[in-house]
Amino acid sequence: MATTRSSHTVWNGNLLKGSGVVSLDSSGQGEFDVSWPSRAEAANGKTSPEELIAAAHSSCYSMALSHGLDGAGTPPTRVETKADVTFQPGEGITGIHLTVVGEVPGLDAEGFAAAAEDAKKNCPVSQALTGTTITLTATLA
């Protein structure tokens, strides 16, 4: 069964001086301030589309890797993923780097690296972002 998740943003003013609020509608988990300076300069307590993409990518990737490892008979004890999304004003998102550390009893570094690469290719968020270069660093804890 398909699911749909929703968020919405209300933006006031122009791009450079305006600001907005993004709401996580499906979960009701909150509203987050956004602005151009929080995107192109320092965050200053506000989020950005890139931070929201990083959150989506790191969580989806962790789920995909955990599922793949379990399916291969080596269920993980823990998977911790960081996603760094790079934004260049005037160019857009120029890359995403995933850093994953896993605790996987009975799996060697080579097996973990292979599973991590497979998850990078098959994670639904990675697939949605195929126009962006995605790199990966994978290590066992």
Side-chain angles (χ1 to χ4, degrees):
M1 182 164 108
T3 60
T4 300
R5 299 293 182 257
S6 301
S7 293
H8 80 276
T9 300
V10 175
W11 186 267
N12 296 298
N14 67 22
L15 175 63
L16 298 180
K17 294 181 182 176
S19 64
V21 176
V22 60
S23 299
L24 304 182
D25 297 337
S26 298
S27 66
Q29 290 296 306
E31 296 182 342
F32 303 93
D33 293 333
V34 294
S35 69
W36 176 256
S38 69
R39 185 176 197 184
E41 300 166 14
N44 291 324
K46 296 180 181 178
T47 193
S48 67
E50 291 72 29
E51 184 177 35
L52 296 169
I53 289 170
H57 205 176
S58 67
S59 60
C60 184
Y61 177 83
S62 290
M63 287 187 243
L65 179 55
S66 176
H67 181 66
L69 290 166
D70 189 47
T74 53
T77 303
R78 178 181 164 98
V79 171
E80 182 175 340
T81 306
K82 179 181 181 189
D84 294 307
V85 177
T86 301
F87 174 75
Q88 178 63 48
E91 292 180 45
I93 294 173
T94 58
I96 300 171
H97 185 75
L98 299 171
T99 303
V100 62
V101 177
E103 294 176 17
V104 188
L107 189 65
D108 64 14
E110 185 177 310
F112 183 70
E117 281 293 333
D118 186 64
K120 184 182 87 166
K121 284 186 265 182
N122 294 306
C123 159
V125 172
S126 291
Q127 291 177 348
L129 299 171
T130 55
T132 302
T133 300
I134 301 170
T135 56
L136 172 68
T137 302
T139 55
L140 286 170

